[in-house]
Amino acid sequence: MEAQHIIQLKNPSLFLFPKSSFSTTVKSPSRLSRRFRHVLLASHPSVAAPKREKDAKKRVVITGMGLVSVFGNDVDTYYDRLLAGESGISLIDKFDASIFPTRFGGQIRGFKSNGYIDAKSDSRLDDCQRYCLVAGKKALEDAGIGSHELLKIDKERAGVLVGSGGGGVTVFSDAMRCLIERGHKKITPFFAPYSLTSIASAVLAMHVGFMGPNYNISAACATANACFCAAANHIRLGNADMMIAGGVDAPLIPLELGGFVACRALSRRNLEPQRASRPWDKERDGFVLSEGAGVLVMESLDHAMRRGAPILAEYLGGALNCDAYHITNPRPDGFSVSSCIKSSLIDAGVSAEEVNYINAHATSTVIGDMAEVNALKKVFKNTKGIKMNATKSMIGHSMGASGGLEAIATIKAIQTGWLHPTINQFNPETVEFDTVAN
């Protein structure tokens, strides 16, 4: 499944989020190098002014961001380390990975839920739910909604839509081991609820009291983007004033690692794990499994303005489709991806000529990377002046969380005016985009 999202800041800079990660796109001057500047659409007289939503109750803005990542739980620190070109990939030590042909990943270290989850709940929850709670509550804080402000929110018109590709896989794996070794009577009663993909949204809603739309979209790598699309539609249709939306996954367990090894999807660069994720490099040999959560607070412009919220960006449109081709491989010609991008641009009222920054899905797989490039070139005929980077080169592939973490990276690119590099570009393919290499 592919998902594309367009966002517009308070100034008319644009960004587009495609696929399970995001192809983020923004307009900037041709003289732009590593430094990224905001530019008014008026500077492009050849581009017809697009027709966009003017009703403040139907316009959707982003007012808060929260995350849990290999670089910690702070949005600014996360982006600073991306800008520095650091790799968050390391050898796995949360379990014995020595028997696997891949022994490294994007492991979160030193995670603390202090002040966000009570001790009793913290001991019972799967990491998937713990990451969701911390990222979701931090996003609310970023949106200016602390405990006092939370009392003023109409909770029947506030929902939660944080998707997950796998759900509580640690809880599931532990219960399976318990069944085999000790019998069914020893299985925890928390297994049934905490293994579900939908429980992260439910637990977060219970913690903050939001009683609006609440469910899970599980669409593998496209999970977070699909959630952003659905959350925006709830607001546009008048079903909600505010939605907490994004993605979360915590797949670094023996069962999941073994499964992806069996698919031959993972890199095996055990001697140089920080160089393993290398999108568009000719010697790439698979993706790097990672974990995390990326969450946005989305609300109607009318609601945000009435409560004096900080407006970070505006969501303009999105689209979803499926290539109906293969269980893991994309169509080599990229047809469905390009079709999805075009539909997203139409929905958003944005022309391809207005786009100048793409935050790519770019997982470092042999087939996927170039299939995405082929799709992008079908839409963006003139690649000159378009920057395209790969966040996964530094944080790995966090599955359902990847779109959320890359959405945050894209919004920070607009806010700061700086694009992070794509690292590990040693022998790059000819992609015809400026990949902000190294």
Side-chain angles (χ1 to χ4, degrees):
M1 180 175 284
E2 320 296 347
Q4 309 292 330
H5 298 290
I6 299 286
I7 288 183
Q8 182 182 39
L9 285 188
K10 287 183 286 183
N11 67 15
S13 297
L14 304 173
F15 23 135
L16 161 73
F17 303 164
K19 220 171 161 156
S20 62
S21 70
F22 279 166
S23 288
T24 24
T25 60
V26 201
K27 201 66 181 170
S28 73
S30 58
R31 55 183 287 205
L32 174 97
S33 58
R34 296 272 197 277
R35 177 70 177 155
F36 193 83
R37 304 184 184 204
H38 307 321
V39 136
L40 296 180
L41 298 181
S43 66
H44 301 272
S46 63
V47 178
K51 294 180 181 179
R52 297 185 184 136
E53 183 62 63
K54 302 212 187 302
D55 186 343
K57 291 184 178 180
K58 294 183 179 180
R59 291 174 66 182
V60 180
V61 295
I62 289 93
T63 57
M65 303 184 289
L67 56 74
V68 173
S69 77
V70 292
F71 294 139
N73 307 343
D74 180 76
V75 168
D76 290 337
T77 300
Y78 165 75
Y79 199 62
D80 285 344
R81 295 181 73 175
L82 289 177
L83 287 177
E86 292 185 34
S87 173
I89 308 306
S90 60
L91 293 174
I92 297 169
D93 60 14
K94 64 190 300 185
F95 60 87
D96 181 8
S98 62
I99 63 171
F100 295 95
T102 294
R103 299 186 286 277
F104 58 91
Q107 179 179 321
I108 290 174
R109 301 175 184 277
F111 172 78
K112 290 187 176 20
S113 60
N114 300 351
Y116 295 99
I117 309 175
D118 63 276
K120 193 173 188 180
S121 297
D122 201 33
S123 65
R124 294 172 174 170
L125 294 170
D126 188 278
D127 280 347
C128 185
Q129 293 109 46
R130 297 169 75 221
Y131 296 165
C132 177
L133 280 172
V134 171
K137 290 185 177 182
K138 289 181 78 71
L140 284 175
E141 288 179 356
D142 192 45
I145 304 175
S147 55
H148 178 69
E149 291 77 14
L150 200 57
L151 299 174
K152 303 175 185 177
I153 299 296
D154 183 350
K155 295 182 177 59
E156 291 186 31
R157 294 189 55 76
V160 181
L161 184 42
V162 180
S164 175
V169 292
T170 298
V171 168
F172 180 90
S173 179
D174 290 347
M176 184 64 71
R177 186 183 301 111
C178 183
L179 175 66
I180 294 170
E181 296 177 357
R182 304 173 63 195
H184 73 276
K185 292 183 179 180
K186 296 297 183 180
I187 295 175
T188 171
F190 295 105
F191 158 67
Y194 288 164
S195 62
L196 299 174
T197 56
S198 59
I199 198 65
S201 284
V203 169
L204 179 54
M206 287 187 284
H207 271 245
V208 299
F210 283 8
M211 296 183 285
N214 187 298
Y215 54 98
N216 168 76
I217 294 176
S218 184
C221 320
T223 292
N225 284 15
C227 289
F228 294 140
C229 262
N233 286 337
H234 281 300
I235 295 169
R236 287 169 163 175
L237 293 171
N239 300 326
D241 296 324
M242 172 187 293
M243 295 289 295
I244 304 173
V248 60
D249 262 319
L252 276 184
I253 64 169
L255 181 63
E256 291 277 311
L257 183 65
F260 282 110
V261 164
C263 290
R264 300 180 181 178
L266 302 180
S267 170
R268 300 190 178 190
R269 294 180 186 275
N270 294 299
L271 298 180
E272 46 180 9
Q274 295 189 334
R275 294 187 172 193
S277 186
R278 48 176 73 192
W280 309 308
D281 189 88
K282 290 179 180 177
E283 297 177 10
R284 63 193 183 280
D285 67 332
F287 73 82
V288 176
L289 191 62
S290 185
E291 54 187 350
V295 175
L296 304 179
V297 174
M298 305 173 72
E299 51 189 307
S300 72
L301 176 60
D302 175 69
H303 186 267
M305 292 178 69
R306 280 192 283 113
R307 69 177 191 85
I311 297 176
L312 309 178
E314 181 173 1
Y315 171 97
L316 294 184
L320 298 128
N321 72 4
C322 175
D323 61 13
Y325 175 73
H326 186 271
I327 194 168
T328 54
N329 292 339
R331 280 179 53 146
D333 63 2
F335 171 78
S336 294
V337 179
S338 62
S339 174
C340 195
I341 295 171
K342 290 174 182 177
S343 296
S344 179
L345 291 168
I346 291 169
D347 184 54
V350 172
S351 65
E353 292 78 12
E354 293 176 273
V355 170
N356 73 343
Y357 166 46
I358 301 169
N359 183 298
H361 184 46
T363 61
S364 187
T365 56
V366 175
I367 298 175
D369 286 8
M370 293 311 294
E372 182 182 19
V373 169
N374 291 337
L376 289 165
K377 289 194 289 191
K378 288 178 186 295
V379 180
F380 306 105
K381 306 296 185 183
N382 182 8
T383 61
K384 185 178 180 181
I386 298 181
K387 306 289 180 181
M388 179 172 71
N389 58 7
T391 306
K392 291 185 185 72
S393 66
M394 289 174 276
I395 67 171
H397 192 351
S398 52
M399 312 311 290
S402 61
L405 289 167
E406 287 156 356
I408 292 171
T410 301
I411 294 170
K412 289 299 294 181
I414 302 300
Q415 289 182 319
T416 64
W418 289 90
L419 296 177
H420 72 67
T422 302
I423 67 169
N424 299 329
Q425 301 294 282
F426 305 108
N427 186 18
E429 301 267 15
T430 302
V431 299
E432 298 179 31
F433 293 91
D434 179 350
T435 61
V436 199
N438 304 316

